Amino acid sequence: MRPFLSTIGWGAGIDRRIAFDLLDRFVSRGGTYIRTATHYPSVDQTSAFGKSNEHLQAWLQANPHSKPKILCEIGAMGHGAKSPVEISSATLLTMVELARGQLFGALWGISIAQLLVGHESTESAIMRALKGQGLRLATTTTVGNAEDEGSSSVFGDDCLFHVDASNIASVATDLYAMSNKSVIIEANSASDLHDSKVMDVCDRFPERIFGVCIRPTSLDSLDRALTQFGQLTSYDKSNDGHSLGGGSVA
Amino acid sequence: MTIERFDLVVLGAGFFGAYTALHFRRKGMRVLLVDRESRPWSKASSVNQARVHTGYHYPRSIKTARMANENRDRFLSDHAYAINRQFQKFYAIEKRNSLTNASQFERFCNKLDIPAIETRRPDLFNHDWFEALYVTEEYSFDPLLIRQTYLAMLEEAGVETRYGWRPTQADCDGKNWIITVQREPDTELSTVQTANVINATYANLNTLNRMFGFDEIPVTHELTEMVILHSEELADIGLTIMDGPFVSIMPYGRSGLLSLSSVLYTPKAFSSKPDPHFECQTHRHDCSPQSVRICTDCRYKPPSNATKMLKQLQNYLSKDVELNKHGSLLTVKTKLKSSMRDDGRPTDIRTYSTTPFFGCVFSGKINSIYEIEGFQLNE
């Protein structure tokens, strides 16, 4: 189980200085994984579109030897937009190229919406487009839906599923039914991390929770979230060294 | 060390190198395709405005314009899966500083027999800046779909590939080339022998020409930036403003996004040496004038000109048009010194030696790939 630092508010309330502080602190506490999206921050404002990744890019250029692993959601065309249900493989290919341009070798994986699922011709198009790219695939489609629509084979066993902490009860059922899917829990606030349902899922399926995504807005809230995260990971019997301790603040 | 024997070794797996390898493989040759990058086709072959040239672009070089037009139909039919025909393409003549005026442009189009119908689109464009606006017929291709397809075709056709390898030494035994290729960063070496070599390395063409003992081609290099953006209003629109320090937007293939280039801001740095020398190379141990790497995903690339480019574009657009910037693609563009005056981009196919064969292909025009079929290789 790994903590993911989310960039969702960067560029809308969180300025570059705070973003840099959050990244510095996260990395100094051993954090590696970052979750971002090409359209973040999710606000309906042209001038904000893509700001999160601009801050992230600036930090990567200021810290050229850093080696974070960045999961970047792609697919949204304009501001305030969520990733669309369907994009073409040409769009996918171009957006991967652009994400490399923003995130460099730190681009570790891409996340796509519930796109293309269930369309046979485009299913193979995803896999063709991603072949040889060396990127981990994640999707915002729900675990249960993916299974129902027969798309789990499209995404492959390696695919990660984003799940909202508020939906965790239904995820638990899905995880119970399926033996080989891993999820990233999206926590909206530190309080989600000590929600009893979240704790329950982490307790029952520790090896299936790939990571928990936190959205701190200040250094204090980052520290609190990492401390909470440390308590969650005490359930993780498959700890592979990515987890953070709950205590020390570097 | 064992020496592997090939009928042809192609250096550089961009569009020209890949097409060359595929063409001669289909004639029954055993072909090796070598590229410095483990992700080939990530430089000039994918970082361009993806224009299937009809000729409009070159009112001062009728030779480039004609050549573009000759290869066009074959290119369109061979790459139909990647062609975007679903957009309207406009050419505007800038009112103040254009080197070509509206009547010259019309005469040029007539001479080439390509359509240009004068029109007005105040809903999209700011006509205050235009002497005239024309609807034309131009398509774009999707370089990344073509890359994906060619890489798969190379595999299916049985072209052997070494991606992430580069030649470090070339010797001649009278009939054959003996080439040492090296994989980085682990420095594994391998030796190959062949009677035919084609240099399709574009920005590094002179490095390779020298390695094989041949003359350099006089070229200049630019480190360039192309912005990728999205606009609801311009989703199916292309606009090129002629003929001077202006801007151009084209649908970037089938991606639904637009590419933006600017004569003023797309070039970020210049090098007039035979190999591309840029300041940013000093920050990396694995990028040098003799071995240029992918610029787009380099952490040491120069600061973006995207904001300036978008501002320049917005001057020519109606106030209602909104632009969302998605990012930039960067690469080194190489031009023949001889084409600087007329802004032409002739394709240069040269045979330097017949036994063993050494040829070099240099082109700035994607639709001239077929020219390589003229190479007379050793059996």
Side-chain angles (χ1 to χ4, degrees), chain B residues 88-161:
Chain B
Q88 254 197 323
K89 177 65 203 200
F90 297 93
Y91 271 76
I93 305 294
E94 226 263 8
K95 199 178 256 177
R96 276 144 242 188
N97 298 307
S98 178
L99 296 172
T100 304
N101 66 29
S103 57
Q104 286 170 326
F105 184 71
E106 284 175 27
R107 274 204 303 280
F108 168 78
C109 292
N110 280 336
K111 200 165 173 183
L112 275 184
D113 196 23
I114 52 180
I117 299 157
E118 195 169 351
T119 188
R120 284 184 66 80
R121 284 298 297 271
D123 57 320
L124 298 176
F125 309 128
N126 178 358
H127 278 266
D128 293 351
W129 291 91
F130 299 160
E131 183 194 348
L133 178 72
Y134 300 93
V135 183
T136 63
E137 192 183 276
E138 197 170 63
Y139 306 135
S140 82
F141 62 91
D142 197 301
L144 300 177
L145 277 183
I146 292 181
R147 171 175 78 184
Q148 177 183 293
T149 307
Y150 270 72
L151 295 182
M153 285 197 297
L154 288 163
E155 209 177 307
E156 280 162 26
V159 171
E160 287 162 75
T161 54

Side-chain angles (χ1 to χ4, degrees), chain A residues 102-117:
Chain A
Q102 290 182 316
L103 307 172
F104 317 113
L107 181 69
W108 166 81
I110 57 157
S111 194
I112 49 184
Q114 192 176 341
L115 71 162
L116 314 171
V117 175

Side-chain angles (χ1 to χ4, degrees), chain A residues 87-130:
Chain A
I87 57 171
S88 71
S89 58
T91 313
L92 187 66
L93 284 166
T94 304
M95 288 190 168
V96 167
E97 218 60 23
L98 291 168
R100 285 189 196 283
Q102 290 182 316
L103 307 172
F104 317 113
L107 181 69
W108 166 81
I110 57 157
S111 194
I112 49 184
Q114 192 176 341
L115 71 162
L116 314 171
V117 175
H119 304 284
E120 204 173 324
S121 58
T122 41
E123 282 171 7
S124 50
I126 297 187
M127 296 326 264
R128 270 205 307 277
L130 293 175

